[in-house]
Amino acid sequence: MPTPYEATLGPSAPRMIRPLAGRRVAGVCAGLADHLGWPVRAVRLGMIALIVLGPGVVAYVMLWALTPEAEGSADPAGGPDPVAERLGGGDGPALVLLGAIVGLLGLAWIGQRSGLDLRLGVLLPLFVIAVGAVIGLSQLDAARRNQWLAGSGWQTAIRLGLGVVVTAGGILALVTRDIPISQTWDIVVAVLVVLLGAALLVAPWGVRVMAELRSEQAARARADERADMAAHLHDSVLQTLALIQRQSGDAARVATLARAQERELRTWLYGGGASAPTSLSGALAEVIGDVEGAHGIPVDLVMTGDRDMDDGAQALVRALREALANAVRHGSPPVSVYIEAGRSGVEAFVRDHGPGIDLDAIPVDRLGVRESIIGRMTRHGGTASVRRLQPGTEWTLTLPPPKEPAHET
Amino acid sequence: MKPEAAPQDPIRVVVVDDHRMFRTGVKAELMEVAAGRLEIIGEAADVDAAIAIIRRELPDVVLLDVHLPGGNGRGGVDVLAGCVAVDSRRGRPVRFLALSVSDAAEDVIQVIRAGARGYVTKTITGTDLATAVCRVADGDAVFSPRLAGFVLDAFGSAAGEIAEVDEELDRLSAREREVMRLIARGYQYKEVARELFISIKTVETHVSSVLRKLQLSSRHELTAWAMGRKLV
């Protein structure tokens, strides 16, 4: 069996990782088989044989500790989270492991009884050490590492403590197997004192490393964020500024560009869930952006309340787009839109400061106003009316509340 | 200038903003549209300089950026806190008009509750800004359509909550709601007055009363709600 070192030198072999899918215990055999291109079953049988003979335990634990786990979830369709399953969520693998240990112990006992010298005095402590290592090192799995770094949970501490105690017990048993009990206590005390001393020496260093690791993580997150911001500013703001410089003679065009950029940046900075296209506010923001972009006239949107998009809201948005297009084409700025969405329906006002339009003077073949605005609103149970103000025109669109009780937004 | 200025003297204005380009632009614009009515007597770029110049010059109106460096890190709110009970040379309280690009409800509501007489966005035209400054100098309130929309939302008026008594602080009266709705629709004060068949003075009274409610109400939407939501 090649060592992992030799294996990784292989030219074409993939980097050894422990897959999340198809693992029995910790994914070591599966990963090894994958890595070497051997059948999984053969690798597993070989590993079991090696474990029974002794060195396999150490090999397995070392491979486990040194092999990184595959990232991401195993397969999208595959039932419960494999990590959770292995760590106790599902009992399958844990039971298999327990069964194997008990079985091996039984075999060893039978072997000893029948006269074979299996050197149980060595094997048993080795087992204990392995179990302790498994309990302790399982914390190092990627899925748990973040939690551990975040300093969460007494569960982790207990698991780690248990692992340390079991491993230490195993080592103690291994070292003191030829020594009478009376002397063992002295050794235990000596070992504890040494461990305590070592812990005292190592603890500050460990704490510092931890702190550094955390601050490094935070710094990296900040750097990522800054890079993100820089990329966004480069893609949007800098490009727009360059465009503005090149077209600085055309005031209207400059204003349009600045306005569009402002809207985009605002959405990016303060936006989020509020402007989801499934809500009336999101759809309206989109329409206003389009109209502003197409005509180069700023539109002020003020909205109170919100509502989910449905057929009626869709009709309102379309009619409003038409009214707005009329306002920016025939009216003059400032153009304002006010929408009030409440339990009693939606009221929308589109106002400009132009000379005003006369509905009766509009030719019948002009589909824009009659059909797209008034007809559309009427078909959805609403109303649309236009009136002249001293300067300007104001459209009023109303829409009744949705027939089925609306979801609270 | 004489210590006791006559009412027809130009309104003395201090511009507080940490962007030099913006200060220059505002000054140029105001001088262009309202040279006789307004006079820019000073400017400041941070909280401490702003408080110093306001206490020294005693202006009528301060154009106050919401976000400023210095002080306790609360920008315009710190300036307002540092200039409580300072009177202008006319003997009236110094009035503050908040200017902001952010439109975030929490910023706006904080400066208003700290005592600003109004809020406008920085995209406002020079003419409108001059009108707003004069209005604030007279002690009236200035609401942008957006602030009106926010008020309707925060006081639950959009959902139909109406105060039974005018004095009630946590809800708007029916008339105040009408005024706020028209302002949100982009109406000027005189258009609101014509629409409701009332005088401009009455409109101003209603707006000032809404401002007072905005400053004094303990309606939790105004504090908690504003924090989690943007005014865009």
Side-chain angles (χ1 to χ4, degrees), chain A residues 58-353:
Chain A
V58 179
Y60 193 93
V61 171
M62 292 306 278
L63 277 174
W64 181 6
L66 295 176
T67 312
E69 189 163 46
E71 285 180 12
S73 65
D75 71 278
D81 175 21
V83 176
E85 190 181 317
R86 185 170 46 83
L87 290 173
D91 290 336
L95 281 179
V96 169
L97 193 62
L98 195 65
I101 290 171
V102 172
L104 283 175
L105 285 178
L107 275 179
W109 185 70
I110 291 168
Q112 193 79 350
R113 283 286 297 268
S114 55
L116 275 167
D117 182 17
L118 286 176
R119 297 190 299 159
L120 272 191
V122 178
L123 264 187
L124 271 179
L126 272 182
F127 257 126
V128 173
I129 293 170
V131 169
V134 165
I135 297 173
L137 289 178
S138 67
Q139 301 309 319
L140 286 178
D141 266 352
R144 291 272 152 166
R145 196 177 298 137
N146 290 334
Q147 270 185 22
W148 186 54
L149 279 178
S152 86
W154 47 273
Q155 274 189 329
T156 310
I158 286 181
R159 214 185 277 260
L160 203 61
L162 195 65
V164 168
V165 167
V166 172
T167 310
I171 292 173
L172 203 64
L174 189 66
V175 173
T176 62
R177 82 199 125 93
D178 295 331
I179 298 169
I181 294 287
S182 56
Q183 286 179 27
T184 310
W185 272 115
D186 293 346
I187 294 169
V188 168
V189 170
V191 166
L192 280 181
V193 168
V194 169
L195 277 179
L196 195 68
L200 280 178
L201 285 178
V202 169
W205 175 79
V207 167
R208 212 185 60 214
V209 166
M210 256 338 229
E212 275 173 11
L213 201 62
R214 269 188 215 173
S215 71
E216 190 188 310
Q217 275 187 336
R220 198 162 46 221
R222 271 199 302 277
D224 283 354
E225 204 173 309
R226 209 169 324 153
D228 212 28
M229 173 93 82
H232 182 270
L233 290 183
H234 176 263
D235 288 349
S236 57
V237 179
L238 287 185
Q239 305 282 3
T240 309
L241 286 177
L243 271 177
I244 285 177
Q245 284 172 33
R246 281 175 44 194
Q247 311 194 358
S248 51
D250 185 350
R253 179 89 183 114
V254 167
T256 313
L257 281 171
R259 183 85 183 170
Q261 184 55 60
E262 182 199 336
R263 186 160 7 87
E264 195 197 310
L265 197 58
R266 237 178 240 293
T267 317
W268 193 66
L269 287 176
Y270 308 118
S275 52
T278 52
S279 68
L280 184 58
S281 58
L284 286 169
E286 215 177 288
V287 164
I288 283 170
D290 287 353
V291 172
E292 278 188 354
H295 299 273
I297 291 176
V299 177
D300 286 324
L301 168 67
V302 176
M303 173 143 191
T304 61
D306 205 346
R307 165 169 170 170
D308 285 341
M309 284 303 278
D310 52 25
D311 282 352
Q314 191 68 47
L316 178 79
V317 169
R318 292 205 176 117
L320 196 117
R321 177 196 284 270
E322 202 61 43
L324 204 50
N326 266 309
V328 295
R329 256 202 306 268
H330 306 299
S332 55
V335 176
S336 13
V337 176
Y338 172 63
I339 288 132
E340 197 174 281
R343 260 166 293 173
S344 54
V346 183
E347 277 181 279
F349 304 90
V350 179
R351 199 246 154 114
D352 68 62
H353 287 78

